[in-house]
Amino acid sequence: MNIRGILFDLDGVLISTARLHYLAWKEVANQLHIPFDEAENDRLRGISREASLEILLERYRGPALTPAQKKLWMDRKNQLYRQMLQDLTPASVAPDVSSALRKLRAAGFRLALGSSSKNARLILARTNLTDQFDAIVDGTEITHTKPDPEIYLLAASRLALPPSSCAVVEDAETGVAAAKAGGMLSIGLGPSAAPARPDLQIRSISELPDLLVHMHP
Protein backbone atom coordinates (compact mmCIF):
# COMPACT_ATOMS: atom_id res chain seq x y z
CA MET A 1 0.00 0.00 0.00
CA ASN A 2 1.04 3.61 -0.61
CA ILE A 3 0.42 5.31 2.76
CA ARG A 4 1.81 8.82 3.07
CA GLY A 5 -0.40 10.38 5.73
CA ILE A 6 -1.45 9.20 9.18
CA LEU A 7 -4.53 10.71 10.81
CA PHE A 8 -4.95 10.38 14.57
CA ASP A 9 -7.90 10.58 16.89
CA LEU A 10 -6.96 12.32 20.15
CA ASP A 11 -8.84 11.04 23.19
CA GLY A 12 -7.82 7.47 23.94
CA VAL A 13 -5.18 7.39 21.21
CA LEU A 14 -2.67 10.13 22.01
CA ILE A 15 -3.98 11.35 25.37
CA SER A 16 -6.16 9.53 27.85
CA THR A 17 -8.82 12.02 28.95
CA ALA A 18 -11.66 9.52 29.18
CA ARG A 19 -11.58 9.70 32.99
CA LEU A 20 -11.95 13.49 32.86
CA HIS A 21 -14.93 13.24 30.49
CA TYR A 22 -16.50 10.70 32.82
CA LEU A 23 -16.04 12.87 35.91
CA ALA A 24 -17.52 15.91 34.15
CA TRP A 25 -20.56 13.99 32.85
CA LYS A 26 -20.94 12.34 36.28
CA GLU A 27 -21.24 15.74 37.91
CA VAL A 28 -23.91 16.78 35.38
CA ALA A 29 -25.75 13.50 35.94
CA ASN A 30 -25.65 13.98 39.70
CA GLN A 31 -27.13 17.46 39.39
CA LEU A 32 -29.92 16.09 37.19
CA HIS A 33 -30.44 13.09 39.54
CA ILE A 34 -29.59 10.63 36.77
CA PRO A 35 -27.90 7.31 37.58
CA PHE A 36 -24.60 7.24 35.71
CA ASP A 37 -21.60 4.94 35.99
CA GLU A 38 -18.48 4.07 33.98
CA ALA A 39 -20.29 1.33 32.05
CA GLU A 40 -22.85 3.88 30.87
CA ASN A 41 -20.02 6.29 30.10
CA ASP A 42 -18.60 3.77 27.60
CA ARG A 43 -21.59 4.55 25.37
CA LEU A 44 -20.33 8.12 25.01
CA ARG A 45 -16.98 7.19 23.44
CA GLY A 46 -16.29 8.93 20.15
CA ILE A 47 -19.58 10.82 19.85
CA SER A 48 -20.48 14.50 20.09
CA ARG A 49 -21.40 16.39 23.24
CA GLU A 50 -24.96 16.74 21.97
CA ALA A 51 -25.32 13.01 21.35
CA SER A 52 -23.73 12.26 24.73
CA LEU A 53 -26.27 14.43 26.54
CA GLU A 54 -29.15 12.67 24.78
CA ILE A 55 -27.83 9.31 25.99
CA LEU A 56 -27.52 10.71 29.51
CA LEU A 57 -31.11 11.95 29.36
CA GLU A 58 -32.46 8.49 28.56
CA ARG A 59 -32.57 7.93 32.33
CA TYR A 60 -33.78 11.43 33.19
CA ARG A 61 -37.13 11.51 35.01
CA GLY A 62 -37.56 15.24 35.57
CA PRO A 63 -39.47 17.88 33.57
CA ALA A 64 -38.65 17.92 29.85
CA LEU A 65 -35.66 20.10 29.05
CA THR A 66 -35.88 22.86 26.47
CA PRO A 67 -33.14 23.24 23.83
CA ALA A 68 -31.83 26.23 25.79
CA GLN A 69 -31.63 24.19 28.99
CA LYS A 70 -29.85 21.37 27.19
CA LYS A 71 -27.29 23.86 25.91
CA LEU A 72 -26.71 25.10 29.46
CA TRP A 73 -26.02 21.55 30.66
CA MET A 74 -23.64 20.90 27.75
CA ASP A 75 -21.85 24.16 28.53
CA ARG A 76 -21.66 23.13 32.19
CA LYS A 77 -20.09 19.80 31.27
CA ASN A 78 -17.56 21.52 29.02
CA GLN A 79 -16.72 24.05 31.74
CA LEU A 80 -16.02 21.25 34.21
CA TYR A 81 -13.96 19.35 31.65
CA ARG A 82 -11.88 22.38 30.65
CA GLN A 83 -11.13 23.07 34.30
CA MET A 84 -9.76 19.53 34.63
CA LEU A 85 -7.70 19.93 31.43
CA GLN A 86 -5.66 22.65 33.12
CA ASP A 87 -3.89 19.89 35.03
CA LEU A 88 -2.52 18.36 31.81
CA THR A 89 1.20 18.79 31.13
CA PRO A 90 3.71 17.34 28.62
CA ALA A 91 4.22 14.58 31.19
CA SER A 92 0.62 13.51 30.54
CA VAL A 93 1.75 12.12 27.16
CA ALA A 94 2.86 8.50 27.40
CA PRO A 95 6.49 7.95 26.29
CA ASP A 96 5.43 5.44 23.62
CA VAL A 97 3.16 8.08 22.05
CA SER A 98 5.95 10.65 21.80
CA SER A 99 8.33 8.03 20.45
CA ALA A 100 5.89 6.78 17.81
CA LEU A 101 5.17 10.30 16.54
CA ARG A 102 8.89 11.07 16.25
CA LYS A 103 9.61 7.83 14.39
CA LEU A 104 6.72 8.34 11.97
CA ARG A 105 7.80 11.89 11.15
CA ALA A 106 11.40 10.72 10.69
CA ALA A 107 10.16 8.04 8.27
CA GLY A 108 8.58 10.75 6.10
CA PHE A 109 4.91 10.38 6.99
CA ARG A 110 2.71 13.48 7.18
CA LEU A 111 0.68 13.58 10.39
CA ALA A 112 -2.73 15.08 11.08
CA LEU A 113 -5.12 15.18 14.01
CA GLY A 114 -8.82 14.53 13.45
CA SER A 115 -10.64 14.96 16.76
CA SER A 116 -14.34 15.62 17.29
CA SER A 117 -13.40 17.35 20.54
CA LYS A 118 -13.86 21.10 20.51
CA ASN A 119 -11.11 21.23 23.13
CA ALA A 120 -8.51 19.43 21.00
CA ARG A 121 -6.30 22.48 20.46
CA LEU A 122 -6.28 23.25 24.18
CA ILE A 123 -5.23 19.66 24.94
CA LEU A 124 -2.46 19.80 22.33
CA ALA A 125 -1.22 23.11 23.72
CA ARG A 126 -1.17 21.85 27.32
CA THR A 127 0.79 18.75 26.31
CA ASN A 128 3.17 20.40 23.78
CA LEU A 129 1.91 18.18 20.95
CA THR A 130 0.77 20.91 18.55
CA ASP A 131 4.00 21.02 16.55
CA GLN A 132 3.91 17.27 15.91
CA PHE A 133 1.13 17.70 13.34
CA ASP A 134 1.10 19.07 9.81
CA ALA A 135 -2.66 19.62 10.04
CA ILE A 136 -5.24 19.79 12.83
CA VAL A 137 -9.01 19.44 12.48
CA ASP A 138 -11.24 19.63 15.54
CA GLY A 139 -14.92 19.65 16.42
CA THR A 140 -15.31 23.38 15.77
CA GLU A 141 -14.70 22.86 12.05
CA ILE A 142 -17.12 20.08 11.14
CA THR A 143 -20.84 19.71 10.62
CA HIS A 144 -21.09 15.94 10.97
CA THR A 145 -19.42 13.90 13.71
CA LYS A 146 -18.03 10.37 13.42
CA PRO A 147 -19.01 7.86 12.03
CA ASP A 148 -19.41 10.40 9.22
CA PRO A 149 -16.01 10.67 7.47
CA GLU A 150 -16.10 14.49 7.20
CA ILE A 151 -13.38 15.14 9.81
CA TYR A 152 -10.90 12.71 8.25
CA LEU A 153 -11.65 13.80 4.69
CA LEU A 154 -10.94 17.39 5.74
CA ALA A 155 -7.72 16.34 7.50
CA ALA A 156 -6.55 14.45 4.39
CA SER A 157 -7.29 17.45 2.19
CA ARG A 158 -5.20 19.67 4.48
CA LEU A 159 -2.32 17.25 4.04
CA ALA A 160 -2.92 17.54 0.27
CA LEU A 161 -3.31 13.75 0.11
CA PRO A 162 -6.03 11.54 -1.34
CA PRO A 163 -7.94 9.47 1.24
CA SER A 164 -6.51 6.25 -0.24
CA SER A 165 -3.02 7.41 0.80
CA CYS A 166 -4.04 7.92 4.44
CA ALA A 167 -4.27 5.65 7.47
CA VAL A 168 -6.46 6.47 10.47
CA VAL A 169 -5.60 5.44 14.04
CA GLU A 170 -8.70 5.08 16.20
CA ASP A 171 -9.75 3.53 19.50
CA ALA A 172 -13.53 3.80 18.98
CA GLU A 173 -15.98 1.97 16.73
CA THR A 174 -17.38 5.24 15.38
CA GLY A 175 -13.89 6.39 14.38
CA VAL A 176 -13.06 3.16 12.60
CA ALA A 177 -16.37 3.44 10.76
CA ALA A 178 -15.50 7.02 9.75
CA ALA A 179 -12.14 5.89 8.37
CA LYS A 180 -13.76 3.12 6.34
CA ALA A 181 -16.47 5.45 5.03
CA GLY A 182 -13.75 7.85 3.89
CA GLY A 183 -11.88 5.16 1.97
CA MET A 184 -8.87 5.16 4.29
CA LEU A 185 -6.87 2.38 5.91
CA SER A 186 -8.35 1.87 9.38
CA ILE A 187 -6.10 0.93 12.30
CA GLY A 188 -7.83 -0.04 15.53
CA LEU A 189 -6.05 0.64 18.80
CA GLY A 190 -7.16 -1.55 21.68
CA PRO A 191 -10.23 -3.71 22.26
CA SER A 192 -12.86 -0.96 21.96
CA ALA A 193 -12.15 -0.55 18.25
CA ALA A 194 -12.19 -4.28 17.45
CA PRO A 195 -15.97 -4.71 16.99
CA ALA A 196 -15.83 -2.33 14.00
CA ARG A 197 -13.37 -4.71 12.27
CA PRO A 198 -10.57 -2.30 11.40
CA ASP A 199 -8.23 -3.24 8.55
CA LEU A 200 -5.37 -3.59 11.05
CA GLN A 201 -5.42 -4.02 14.81
CA ILE A 202 -2.75 -2.96 17.34
CA ARG A 203 -2.56 -3.25 21.10
CA SER A 204 -0.18 -0.32 21.62
CA ILE A 205 0.72 2.76 19.61
CA SER A 206 4.35 1.66 19.92
CA GLU A 207 3.57 -0.97 17.25
CA LEU A 208 2.61 1.69 14.70
CA PRO A 209 5.99 2.70 13.17
CA ASP A 210 7.06 -0.86 12.40
CA LEU A 211 3.60 -1.65 11.06
CA LEU A 212 3.51 1.28 8.64
CA VAL A 213 7.10 1.85 7.57
CA HIS A 214 6.90 -0.68 4.74
CA MET A 215 3.75 1.04 3.42
CA HIS A 216 5.52 4.35 2.83
CA PRO A 217 6.55 4.96 -0.81
Side-chain angles (χ1 to χ4, degrees):
M1 297 184 69
N2 184 3
I3 299 298
R4 291 181 285 161
I6 307 172
L7 319 181
F8 291 88
D9 179 39
L10 180 59
D11 289 343
V13 173
L14 301 177
I15 295 288
S16 182
T17 58
R19 180 70 180 170
L20 305 185
H21 280 293
Y22 167 67
L23 292 173
W25 279 122
K26 177 68 172 173
E27 179 61 26
V28 169
N30 288 344
Q31 293 180 25
L32 287 168
H33 306 290
I34 298 171
F36 186 71
D37 56 25
E38 294 193 55
E40 190 70 8
N41 185 65
D42 285 343
R43 298 177 60 198
L44 312 187
R45 294 173 64 91
I47 63 175
S48 68
R49 198 178 307 154
E50 293 82 358
S52 294
L53 180 64
E54 291 303 323
I55 288 176
L56 200 74
L57 292 176
E58 290 174 3
R59 297 184 176 186
Y60 176 59
R61 297 295 177 263
L65 300 182
T66 65
Q69 288 172 318
K70 289 181 179 181
K71 184 179 185 305
L72 287 174
W73 284 113
M74 287 188 288
D75 290 345
R76 175 60 177 155
K77 184 270 174 180
N78 192 47
Q79 179 187 38
L80 291 165
Y81 178 63
R82 287 179 68 90
Q83 288 172 355
M84 297 176 194
L85 290 180
Q86 298 307 314
D87 293 331
L88 289 178
T89 70
S92 303
V93 182
D96 60 343
V97 170
S98 299
S99 175
L101 293 176
R102 286 196 304 270
K103 289 178 180 178
L104 291 167
R105 291 184 67 86
F109 290 101
R110 306 201 71 202
L111 308 184
L113 185 86
S115 171
S116 298
S117 172
K118 296 177 181 178
N119 296 300
R121 293 177 187 273
L122 171 61
I123 295 170
L124 294 178
R126 297 293 303 174
T127 55
N128 284 355
L129 283 176
T130 305
D131 291 342
Q132 294 294 323
F133 297 98
D134 301 293
I136 296 169
V137 182
D138 65 19
T140 66
E141 302 178 82
I142 57 172
T143 304
H144 306 290
T145 57
K146 304 168 188 176
D148 189 283
E150 179 186 6
I151 194 164
Y152 286 132
L153 292 174
L154 181 55
S157 71
R158 288 188 179 171
L159 293 180
L161 294 174
S164 59
S165 291
C166 295
V168 171
V169 185
E170 269 281 358
D171 74 321
E173 288 186 62
T174 52
V176 172
K180 289 184 171 185
M184 303 173 190
L185 180 73
S186 58
I187 302 174
L189 173 63
S192 296
R197 298 186 177 182
D199 298 308
L200 300 171
Q201 181 75 37
I202 57 176
R203 290 173 295 178
S204 167
I205 200 167
S206 62
E207 301 170 35
L208 203 56
D210 288 342
L211 181 70
L212 291 177
V213 69
H214 69 282
M215 298 184 185
H216 194 276

